[in-house]
Amino acid sequence: MPIQDTQEFINELEKHGELKRVETEVDPDLEIAEILRREMYSNGPAILFENVKGHSMPVLGNAFGSMKRLEIGLEMTDFTEIGHRITDMTKMDMPSGFLNKIKKLPELSKMTASFPKPESSGLVTEVTSTDASFDDLPIIKSWPNDAGRFITLGLIATKHPETGVRNLGVYRMQIIDKTHASMHWQKHKRGANHGEISKDKGEKIPTAIIFGGEPATVFSSIAPVPEGLDKYLFAGITRKEGIKTVKCKTIDLDVPANAEIVLEGYVDPADIRDEGPFGDHTGYYTPVEPYPTFTLTGIMRRKNPVYLTTVVGKPILEDAYIGKVIERSFLPLIQMFHPEVVDFSMPAAGWFQGFAVISIKKRYPGQAKKVMMGLWGTGQLTLTKMFVVVDEDINVHDMNDVIWAITTRADAARDTTIINNTPTDTLDPASPLVNLGSKIGIDATQKTKEEGYMREIQQQVKVDEETKKLVDSKWSDYGL
């Protein structure tokens, strides 16, 4: 059985020595964040703060801050499995004829098993109320110059106002007062798109803030899934079993039945207020900007819930590991559209939107640039500011190997591509304008004569097989 909820996840982490409990009283104002940062930077465990000043609710942090913890939560070691499940579904032919349908039943049942399962009640419906306040939650302040307390790992649920396709996203929220918070959904995010459609209709958009649930649901909310794919279905594909959902009490939305807490309300696109500053995952404070406002109308929660949070800042922190799983899980999807791609890496130090390395099996001139242009037109990769394309013999996860390829196979004038006036990540501190900047691509593949390389290609230095076998056979005799 896949892990069903956050508290089961906590038990699994503890069983594997991946969680520590802190019984000393801690303050949600700056203290919790500083403890978490120190543990994250030193590859420390997940932490459950059991004695939070002013609150009876424990706080869980750094829950996904290692590949081991993500392996436990998602119950797999090869995260490309997730992408392969999606690509396999897209290739599945619908059977015709009774006998063929019988033969296809096992495959079809795997697909339907991933769909969400509506329930009349669940763990999150144990306590419900329309008298809700943000003050009831141990919401943290992370950095000294932050504008206040921020929700940092709330899963923001909306649905497309026209198609009804459900979305989950992680957008920070600045607390304004007991029932209002700024919704920082950036222009390029799906939640913001839903908000814009509602604004054009002159409507408010029903919105829920979800804390906790199945680890696969948390991962699904962060993952940049293909447009039109229901995030709840993606969570089911990830865990190979559909998640249970329940209806909210005050708004028309489905939410995970096994969540710890659900805050119900709506975002009013016409109610715009200043948000920020906030110490972000780029390592800089995001400046003050206008964003729409969320109004709280109700709460559902477990009797004894755990509040899930995270802190961000200069890499490498907890979000880096989630980003690495996203990178691995979406490799098969990239390869489906660009079959020459061998591997793909978005190093954590580049905050996963700033820099990517792609290795390809090169077959023709200009192929590296073809791949760059294709990826710059694909989903959230549109916002990636720097691409380096290398040959298949280069390990994209070894920056020493990548730097060697750049310095031995790329000429600055010939192999650098710069594109101006392109979309950039809203949080990019270097772009000359918010949401608009430039891209750079470096073709670090071996060049051919067709690409203007008129010299003889130099031979790489490699050990001969005879000497390699000799040294292999005598290695234990050397005493090294």
Side-chain angles (χ1 to χ4, degrees):
M1 285 280 291
I3 293 174
Q4 298 298 313
D5 58 68
T6 296
Q7 298 193 30
E8 186 179 333
F9 183 39
I10 288 171
N11 293 335
E12 287 298 312
L13 291 178
E14 197 160 31
K15 189 189 304 182
H16 288 83
E18 290 286 327
L19 178 131
K20 295 289 185 183
R21 295 174 182 265
V22 173
E23 298 178 359
T24 303
E25 184 182 70
V26 292
D27 196 326
D29 186 357
L30 298 178
E31 185 179 1
I32 286 179
E34 176 60 9
I35 295 168
L36 287 173
R37 279 192 297 270
R38 292 188 186 192
E39 287 300 304
M40 289 176 186
Y41 281 130
S42 61
N43 300 312
I47 302 178
L48 186 65
F49 298 98
E50 298 182 313
N51 185 2
V52 181
K53 183 179 179 180
H55 297 274
S56 59
M57 196 180 298
V59 172
L60 176 64
N62 203 24
F64 303 98
S66 74
M67 298 309 292
K68 176 66 175 176
R69 295 199 276 283
L70 282 156
E71 289 172 2
I72 293 169
L74 300 179
E75 296 171 283
M76 67 182 76
T77 55
D78 180 4
F79 299 110
T80 61
E81 282 183 33
I82 300 170
H84 284 305
R85 289 171 199 163
I86 297 175
T87 56
D88 288 347
M89 287 171 66
T90 64
K91 296 172 186 173
M92 189 180 295
D93 295 325
M94 289 297 106
S96 60
F98 180 74
L99 185 59
N100 287 332
K101 287 178 181 177
I102 294 295
K103 289 178 181 177
K104 279 282 188 180
L105 276 176
E107 292 178 59
L108 293 172
S109 65
K110 287 179 186 176
M111 181 190 290
T112 56
S114 298
F115 280 88
K117 299 173 174 59
E119 303 281 345
S120 59
S121 63
L123 291 172
V124 78
T125 61
E126 289 178 342
V127 178
T128 64
S129 175
T130 56
D131 183 23
S133 169
F134 287 119
D135 291 344
D136 296 335
L137 304 183
I139 300 169
I140 68 170
K141 181 178 180 180
S142 297
W143 295 98
N145 292 334
D146 282 356
R149 297 177 297 144
F150 281 81
I151 292 171
T152 55
L153 198 49
L155 319 183
I156 312 303
T158 56
K159 63 181 178 181
H160 194 289
E162 295 169 347
T163 67
V165 173
R166 293 168 294 194
N167 185 59
L168 292 173
V170 174
Y171 319 122
R172 73 177 190 243
M173 297 180 66
Q174 179 186 326
I175 305 306
I176 298 170
D177 56 37
K178 290 184 178 183
T179 58
H180 296 92
S182 295
M183 180 65 75
H184 189 277
W185 48 32
Q186 298 161 37
K187 187 177 290 291
H188 309 105
K189 304 298 184 181
R190 211 159 292 171
N193 176 244
H194 294 175
E196 286 297 314
I197 295 171
S198 295
K199 183 178 180 180
D200 291 342
K201 293 174 175 287
E203 299 172 351
K204 300 168 184 175
I205 183 164
T207 307
I209 311 163
I210 301 154
F211 298 92
E214 307 87 351
T217 302
V218 178
F219 170 71
S220 172
S221 68
I222 301 170
V225 306
E227 187 69 41
L229 177 58
D230 187 293
K231 283 286 189 91
Y232 292 5
L233 172 57
F234 181 78
I237 293 169
T238 299
R239 67 201 297 267
K240 294 194 288 189
E241 180 181 295
I243 68 168
K244 297 175 182 178
T245 63
V246 292
K247 290 285 186 183
C248 287
K249 304 300 182 183
T250 65
I251 54 174
D252 181 22
L253 278 182
D254 303 317
V255 292
N258 291 341
E260 297 290 304
I261 307 160
V262 171
L263 301 179
E264 303 177 8
Y266 59 86
V267 171
D268 185 351
D271 184 1
I272 304 296
R273 311 191 195 188
D274 283 344
E275 189 266 4
F278 175 75
D280 224 315
H281 68 278
T282 59
Y284 292 88
Y285 283 100
T286 307
V288 176
E289 291 181 287
Y291 278 93
T293 303
F294 171 87
T295 297
L296 181 62
T297 60
I299 185 171
M300 301 192 297
R301 65 172 178 83
R302 297 178 64 157
K303 288 180 181 176
N304 297 296
V306 172
Y307 178 79
L308 188 62
T309 193
T310 191
V311 296
V312 293
K314 185 178 179 180
I316 297 174
L317 293 171
E318 180 179 12
D319 55 332
Y321 299 96
I322 300 173
K324 183 56 67 173
V325 175
I326 291 171
E327 170 202 290
R328 293 294 85 202
S329 61
F330 281 83
L331 175 62
L333 291 172
I334 290 173
Q335 291 171 325
M336 183 169 72
F337 295 105
H338 306 280
E340 63 267 72
V341 171
V342 176
D343 207 351
F344 178 80
S345 173
M346 301 187 83
W351 43 277
F352 288 95
Q353 201 69 79
F355 182 70
V357 185
I358 309 104
S359 60
I360 65 170
K361 189 175 181 66
K362 186 174 175 179
R363 295 184 294 105
Y364 55 81
Q367 193 169 8
K369 289 182 181 176
K370 172 261 184 188
V371 170
M372 286 180 206
M373 300 305 172
L375 293 179
W376 270 324
T378 304
Q380 288 297 308
L381 290 174
T382 300
L383 305 179
T384 305
K385 61 193 291 185
M386 301 179 185
F387 279 152
V388 174
V389 182
V390 296
D391 292 296
E392 62 182 317
D393 64 326
I394 301 299
N395 180 0
V396 298
H397 307 287
D398 180 350
M399 286 310 299
N400 290 328
D401 212 19
V402 173
I403 292 169
W404 178 78
I406 293 172
T407 55
T408 60
R409 299 180 184 179
D411 175 75
R414 180 192 61 209
D415 300 322
T416 301
T417 299
I418 295 177
I419 307 174
N420 292 314
N421 299 319
T422 61
T424 59
D425 192 306
T426 303
L427 304 179
D428 182 0
S431 63
L433 297 171
V434 176
N435 296 317
L436 192 68
S438 59
K439 303 271 189 284
I440 183 170
I442 299 175
D443 178 357
T445 61
Q446 179 61 60
K447 303 306 172 301
T448 62
K449 288 183 178 179
E450 294 89 343
E451 294 172 307
Y453 189 80
M454 306 312 293
R455 300 169 56 187
E456 180 181 348
I457 296 175
Q458 296 179 21
Q459 183 179 2
Q460 283 190 51
V461 289
K462 293 183 179 179
V463 65
D464 63 283
E465 282 301 312
E466 186 177 346
T467 303
K468 184 178 183 299
K469 289 177 181 177
L470 172 67
V471 173
D472 284 346
S473 66
K474 295 176 64 177
W475 190 257
S476 60
D477 300 333
Y478 298 144
L480 299 173

